[in-house]
């Protein structure tokens, strides 16, 4: 019953907010879905991450058997690097960079979207404010300022959309910021991993698996 | 009495008469006189008797007459007093009548006023079309120069009581009304008290009803009820739900319903001149977005598979075939870059890398073309909206300087200009921002892909070169 009431109240709020509540709701859903999916992926990858040495050991001893053990990107970089590496260390660095690039891109993927959508949400809220104000002034031009009840609907529309825009934007920006920092850290760790990997493998002869 | 002078004359005549006659004569004469006298006396007595009788009669008669006069006088006096009392009574009654007439006039006026009020009210009332006898009763009561009478008052009262009754009931019936297009329509009608009436046509069209200006018919309100309202109303018409949207503002909400759905053109015109540059910005942005999406859609190919082919060919050293392949797939920028890099094959690593960078730099402008413009447009649109806001506000304040703040209606023109431009600016900017972000991401992805593939290719090329070198070494050794 309580939940039903809550739903009712939400619907009421939704209706009094006007038509701009629908895109705002959509934005909010997209932002939260992206952020949660991204956050879970980050956490899982972070959990699985191992040092380059361990990775190498795992790769050597149980090649292809237990692929789920290290983080996906570590495994991918390692296997492709070992496949492609050669004698020249400079060239090796280039190879690692080229292997790393798509992973770095993936690391930052959808964070930009979260941030831009969070930036759009207050604009939509502002749009709702303006729309509500237009309604209000239409009412004023029709009834004058006497009819406070009619005025209130436009004003509530204006305020509720602004409020919702901010409610959508603030967590979005915070989540986006958090994820952005995590992504940057992940990129830094990838670079560290690559350097460690290169150091480890430099002593080995090319072509051995 | 009247015989007395005659007698006297007779006596005197006798005395005067010369006594030339004889004593006899005289005696005779005196006898005769005496007889005459006696006669005369008798006569006189007789006369006297008659007189006295008559006198008596007359006096009696007089007395009777006097009596009659008296009685008449008495009666006259009596009647006069009566008349005066009656006059007084009349005066009093007249006063009373005037007083009563005043009262009646007041009552009449009150009834007429209330009948007029009732007419005005019933014209606005939703129940009137269900009670067509109302106008007849009201016309009777409102007839000039006639007092409506108790019947009229009772009828008027019963109208009010009917209305009271109707205001507490929900009636559902089939009936006719004037549709939104002005044509007569027939459909299911529902009336909730005196608040709201709604209709549903055979084809499922829903809407609210208002009484027409003369109150005898119902008329559809302009404007559609929203989706959620329609759902509720439909359920109610089918008897599935117990909730029905009611306009408790007595029609004010309906006016707003119609007003909310005013045309796009009207809305744009309210925005003033600055609407047009914003629309222009929007159109240009849409053009750019379409062009970009088209271009980028063509570019996105299955570059992984192409790359595999190329790498295989490179590994086998089939340079010519690789070059041909790149030419064939030249719609993909990755292949173009690789084709460009391929020409520098066999040179040192710096040259190959430079060649690759050169190819990439050549491709970048094609990919990123118009994207900065799009960004600028997204930034310009809200600024134009802001400009419109300021312009509108200036107009408003100019109007305030001219006319003061007395009439809020005067100011609303400038204010609506201010708000419409802001609204339009934001409405244009938000989609541009999102689309720009999407395009930018796509370009980023393509560039990243190109870099990755290019580096991979350069490495493969160099490895090949290295291997060659080693083979050379081996051969030399």
């Amino acid at each position: 019953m309580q939940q039903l009431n809550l739903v009712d109240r939400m619907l009421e709020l939704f209706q009094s907010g006007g038509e701009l509540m629908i895109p705002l709701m959509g934005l909010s859903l997209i932002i939260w879905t992206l952020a949660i999916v991204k956050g879970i992926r980050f956490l899982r990858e972070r959990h699985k991450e191992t040092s380059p040495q361990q990775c190498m050991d795992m790769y050597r001893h149980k090649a292809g058997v237990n692929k789920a053990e290290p983080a996906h990107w570590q495994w991918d970089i390692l296997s492709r690097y070992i496949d492609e590496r050669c004698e020249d260390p400079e060239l090796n660095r280039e190879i690692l960079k080229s292997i790393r690039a798509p992973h770095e891109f993936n690391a930052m993927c959808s964070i930009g979207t979260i941030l831009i959508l969070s930036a759009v949400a207050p604009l939509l809220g502002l749009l709702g404010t303006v729309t509500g104000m237009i309604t209000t002034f239409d009412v004023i031009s029709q009834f004058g300022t006497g009819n406070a009840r009619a005025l209130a609907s436009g004003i509530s529309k204006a305020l509720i959309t602004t409020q919702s825009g901010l409610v959508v934007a603030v967590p979005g920006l915070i989540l986006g910021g958090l994820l952005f920092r995590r992504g940057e850290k992940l990129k830094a760790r990838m670079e560290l991993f690559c350097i460690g990997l290169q150091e480890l493998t430099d002593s080995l002869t090319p072509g051995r698996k | 009495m009247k015989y007395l002078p005659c007698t006297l004359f007779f006596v005197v005549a006798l005395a005067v008469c010369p006594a030339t006659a004889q004593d006899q004569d005289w005696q005779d004469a005196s006898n005769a006189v005496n007889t005459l006298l006696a006669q005369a006396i008798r006569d006189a007595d007789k006369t006297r008797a008659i007189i006295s009788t008559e006198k008596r009669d007359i006096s009696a008669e007089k007395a009777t007459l006097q009596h009659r006069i008296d009685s008449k006088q008495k009666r006259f006096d009596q009647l006069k007093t009566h008349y005066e009392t009656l006059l007084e009574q009349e005066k009093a009654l007249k006063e009373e009548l005037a007083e009563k007439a005043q009262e009646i006039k007041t009552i009449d006026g009150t009834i007429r006023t209330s009948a007029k009020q009732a007419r005005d009210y019933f014209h606005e009332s939703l129940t009137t079309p269900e009670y067509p006898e109302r106008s007849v009763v009201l016309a009777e009561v409102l007839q000039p120069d006639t007092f409506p009478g108790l019947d009229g008052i009772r009828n008027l009262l019963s109208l009010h009581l009917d209305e009271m009754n109707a205001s507490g009931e929900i009636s559902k019936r089939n009936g006719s009304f004037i549709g939104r297009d002005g044509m007569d329509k027939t459909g299911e009608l529902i009336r909730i008290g005196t608040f709201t009436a709604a209709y549903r046509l055979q084809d499922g069209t829903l809407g609210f009803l208002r009484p027409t200006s003369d109150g005898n018919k119902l008329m559809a309100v302009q404007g559609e009820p929203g989706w959620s309202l329609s759902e509720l109303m439909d359920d109610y018409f089918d008897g599935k739900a117990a909730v029905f949207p009611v306009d408790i503002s007595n029609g004010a909400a309906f006016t707003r319903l119609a007003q909310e759905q005013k045309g796009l053109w009207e809305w744009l015109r309210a925005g003033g001149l600055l609407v047009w540059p914003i629309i222009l910005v929007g159109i240009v942005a849409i053009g750019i977005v379409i062009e970009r999406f088209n271009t980028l859609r063509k570019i996105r190919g299955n570059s992984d598979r192409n790359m595999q082919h190329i790498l295989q060919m490179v590994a086998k050293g089939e340079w010519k075939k690789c070059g041909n392949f790149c030419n064939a797939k030249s719609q993909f920028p990755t292949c173009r870059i690789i084709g460009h890099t391929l020409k520098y094959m066999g040179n040192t690593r710096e040259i190959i890398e430079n060649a690759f960078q050169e190819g990439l730099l050549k491709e970048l402008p094609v990919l990123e073309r118009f994207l900065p413009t799009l960004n600028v447009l997204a930034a310009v649109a809200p600024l134009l909206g802001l400009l419109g806001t300021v312009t509108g506000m200036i107009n408003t304040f100019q109007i305030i300087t001219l006319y003061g703040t007395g009439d809020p209606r005067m100011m609303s023109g400038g204010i609506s200009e201010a708000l419409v431009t802001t609204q339009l600016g934001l409405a244009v900017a938000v989609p541009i921002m999102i689309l720009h972000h999407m395009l930018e991401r796509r370009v980023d992805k393509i560039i990243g892909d190109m870099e990755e593939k290019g580096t991979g290719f350069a490495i493969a090329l160099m490895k090949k070169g290295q291997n060659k070198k080693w083979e050379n070494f081996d051969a030399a050794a």
Side-chain angles (χ1 to χ4, degrees):
Chain A
M1 204 63 204
Q2 188 108 39
Q3 272 178 342
L4 204 72
N5 269 345
L6 203 67
V7 169
D8 268 1
R9 273 171 59 190
M10 285 279 286
L11 269 180
E12 202 178 305
L13 202 72
F14 214 80
Q15 279 196 334
S16 55
E19 57 274 16
L20 269 162
M21 292 300 281
I22 296 161
L24 272 173
M25 191 81 184
L27 272 188
S28 175
L29 277 179
I30 294 173
I31 288 173
W32 278 96
T33 319
L34 284 178
I36 288 169
V37 167
K38 194 77 193 160
I40 288 173
R41 195 176 292 160
F42 270 162
L43 281 178
R44 209 185 274 160
E45 300 269 285
R46 182 81 184 86
H47 190 66
K48 284 186 196 162
E49 256 174 50
T50 45
S51 70
Q53 182 63 57
Q54 279 173 319
C55 239
M56 282 292 286
D57 289 347
M58 261 184 256
Y59 189 78
R60 255 189 221 131
H61 294 307
K62 336 165 181 177
V65 179
N66 200 354
K67 230 183 167 185
E69 205 56 41
H72 173 251
W73 59 269
Q74 282 181 318
W75 189 264
D76 194 55
I77 290 175
L78 185 67
S79 52
R80 280 179 65 188
Y81 174 63
I82 285 174
D83 277 352
E84 289 178 17
R85 82 198 184 89
C86 59
E87 276 292 283
D88 192 352
E90 284 284 311
L91 206 57
N92 278 348
R93 195 175 299 147
E94 289 293 322
I95 292 170
L96 272 174
K97 216 167 119 187
S98 102
I99 296 170
R100 206 174 62 213
H103 287 288
E104 280 184 345
F105 186 81
N106 269 345
M108 297 311 278
C109 149
S110 81
I111 292 173
T113 312
I114 292 173
L115 286 173
I116 200 106
L117 290 184
S118 307
V120 158
L123 284 183
L124 273 181
L126 187 57
L127 187 57
T129 313
V130 176
T131 315
M133 280 335 249
I134 287 176
T135 321
T136 310
F137 280 106
D138 275 347
V139 171
I140 290 184
S141 64
Q142 268 213 330
F143 302 109
T145 48
N147 197 340
R149 213 183 311 153
L151 283 182
S153 110
I155 292 172
S156 83
K157 195 195 259 183
L159 296 179
I160 286 172
T161 40
T162 315
Q163 188 191 29
S164 313
L166 290 176
V167 164
V168 170
V170 168
L173 283 173
I174 292 173
L175 284 174
L178 283 176
L179 290 172
F180 189 79
R181 277 193 39 205
R182 271 194 173 258
E184 290 288 321
K185 274 186 189 162
L186 183 61
K187 271 160 81 174
R189 280 205 306 276
M190 279 177 182
E191 211 169 341
L192 271 177
F193 178 80
C194 286
I195 291 167
L197 202 62
Q198 209 185 354
E199 272 173 3
L200 271 175
T201 50
D202 265 355
S203 51
L204 300 171
T205 45
R208 237 181 87 184
K209 286 189 181 175
Chain B
M1 215 32 182
K2 60 182 177 185
Y3 301 106
L4 194 64
C6 184
T7 321
L8 281 178
F9 171 75
F10 203 69
V11 169
V12 168
L14 283 177
V16 168
C17 216
T20 43
Q22 293 90 357
D23 279 344
Q24 191 60 40
D25 284 346
W26 172 260
Q27 205 55 46
D28 289 343
S30 113
N31 284 348
V33 167
N34 279 344
T35 2
L36 276 175
L37 187 63
Q39 184 80 32
I41 285 167
R42 253 187 344 259
D43 280 355
D45 281 346
K46 221 190 253 169
T47 309
R48 224 173 264 131
I50 288 165
I51 284 171
S52 68
T53 358
E54 278 193 355
K55 203 176 175 181
R56 211 170 45 240
D57 282 357
I58 282 169
S59 66
E61 203 174 339
K62 189 186 168 189
T64 351
L65 284 174
Q66 190 68 45
H67 185 71
R68 271 175 70 192
I69 283 170
D70 280 353
S71 70
K72 290 260 178 199
Q73 184 71 40
K74 219 165 148 190
R75 190 159 160 68
F76 167 74
D77 283 347
Q78 223 173 16
L79 283 172
K80 201 177 170 188
T81 0
H82 185 62
Y83 171 70
E84 263 160 17
T85 33
L86 280 177
L87 265 185
E88 262 170 35
Q89 218 173 339
E90 191 200 357
K91 207 175 140 198
L93 283 172
K94 258 187 184 158
E95 262 170 32
E96 205 180 331
L97 183 70
E99 226 170 78
K100 288 265 148 83
Q102 191 70 30
E103 223 167 271
I104 294 272
K105 219 172 160 190
T106 321
I107 290 170
D108 188 33
T110 315
I111 286 164
R112 255 165 228 280
T113 319
S114 93
K116 265 178 202 158
Q117 274 174 357
R119 189 182 55 185
D120 291 349
Y121 176 76
F122 289 142
H123 278 180
E124 297 269 305
S125 174
L126 288 165
T127 54
T128 312
E130 287 170 45
Y131 297 90
E133 73 277 4
R134 272 180 183 171
S135 54
V136 183
V137 171
L138 283 172
E140 223 168 70
V141 174
L142 280 170
Q143 216 168 15
D145 308 323
T146 343
F147 184 67
L150 263 182
D151 279 345
I153 297 172
R154 211 168 280 138
N155 285 341
L156 191 63
L157 192 67
S158 76
L159 286 191
H160 277 291
L161 286 173
D162 281 349
E163 175 75 7
M164 253 187 244
N165 255 343
S167 75
E169 69 182 17
I170 296 168
S171 91
K172 211 168 159 183
R173 66 193 168 100
N174 280 318
S176 68
F177 60 94
I178 301 167
R180 238 174 268 162
D181 49 358
M183 309 283 277
D184 266 337
K185 299 252 167 79
T186 315
E188 282 178 83
L189 303 180
I190 222 166
R191 180 177 58 75
I192 313 253
T194 46
F195 286 128
T196 297
Y199 67 88
R200 183 168 71 169
L201 291 178
Q202 290 289 326
D203 57 356
T205 320
L206 287 161
F208 291 104
L209 293 167
R210 301 242 330 113
T212 49
S213 55
D214 62 350
N216 288 329
K217 269 190 101 65
L218 289 169
M219 186 174 127
V221 173
Q222 291 297 321
E224 301 256 354
W227 170 80
S228 52
L229 278 189
S230 299
E231 195 91 332
L232 273 177
M233 286 161 73
D234 238 355
D235 278 354
Y236 195 89
F237 268 113
D238 294 335
K240 278 189 263 174
V243 185
F244 196 81
V246 165
D247 177 15
I248 52 166
S249 62
N250 253 339
F254 289 150
T255 348
R256 306 229 316 113
L257 188 73
Q259 195 207 355
E260 259 171 26
Q261 286 157 358
K262 67 181 178 189
L264 186 70
W265 176 243
E266 219 173 307
W267 175 65
L268 284 182
R269 251 202 349 215
L273 272 180
L274 269 161
V275 160
W276 305 116
I278 297 176
I279 288 178
L280 191 71
V281 164
I283 290 171
V284 169
I286 289 172
I288 290 175
V289 165
I290 290 173
E291 192 269 345
R292 278 294 81 190
F293 264 109
N294 253 338
T295 320
L296 293 182
R297 191 170 49 90
K298 276 186 211 153
I299 284 171
R300 249 181 77 181
N302 198 339
S303 63
D304 276 332
R305 209 167 48 201
N306 288 343
M307 201 59 205
Q308 264 180 1
H309 276 289
I310 289 169
L311 286 181
Q312 272 169 11
M313 283 184 270
V314 168
K316 284 179 197 159
E318 297 166 322
W319 306 115
K320 209 158 199 155
K321 204 177 162 191
C322 186
N324 287 339
F325 181 79
C326 285
N327 279 338
K329 298 269 179 184
S330 67
Q331 73 264 36
F332 301 118
T334 316
C335 290
R336 275 205 295 272
I337 293 175
I338 286 171
H340 179 80
T341 320
L342 208 55
K343 288 176 197 159
Y344 296 87
M345 190 194 70
N347 282 305
T348 57
R349 215 177 80 196
E350 271 85 31
I351 291 178
I352 290 178
E353 269 180 6
N354 281 347
F356 162 66
Q357 287 296 332
E358 193 196 336
L360 196 64
L361 282 177
K362 260 191 210 162
E363 293 298 328
L364 275 186
V366 182
L367 288 173
E368 286 184 338
R369 190 171 54 184
F370 297 138
L371 280 187
T373 320
L374 204 59
N375 207 2
V376 167
L377 289 180
V380 157
L383 285 181
L384 279 174
L386 188 61
L387 185 58
T389 311
V390 177
T391 320
M393 277 310 179
I394 290 173
N395 285 349
T396 309
F397 281 108
Q398 270 171 353
I399 286 170
I400 290 180
T401 341
L402 277 177
Y403 303 105
T405 53
D407 191 357
R409 276 155 240 235
M410 301 282 281
M411 294 187 278
S412 66
I415 291 171
S416 78
E417 184 185 331
L419 293 175
V420 166
T421 43
T422 317
Q423 194 183 29
L424 197 65
L426 286 170
V428 166
V430 168
I432 296 180
M433 269 174 86
I434 292 177
L435 288 169
H436 175 256
H437 172 73
M438 285 166 72
L439 287 170
E440 207 175 42
R441 266 192 61 80
R442 193 163 280 194
V443 166
D444 274 351
K445 201 166 183 175
I446 289 170
I447 291 173
D449 186 61
M450 264 158 51
E451 270 178 346
E452 186 206 337
K453 297 284 146 62
T455 321
F457 175 72
I459 288 162
L461 214 61
M462 279 182 280
K463 255 190 190 167
K464 194 78 188 163
Q466 214 175 30
N467 287 348
K468 238 193 272 175
K469 247 193 289 178
W470 280 36
E471 276 159 26
N472 288 347
F473 270 129
D474 286 349

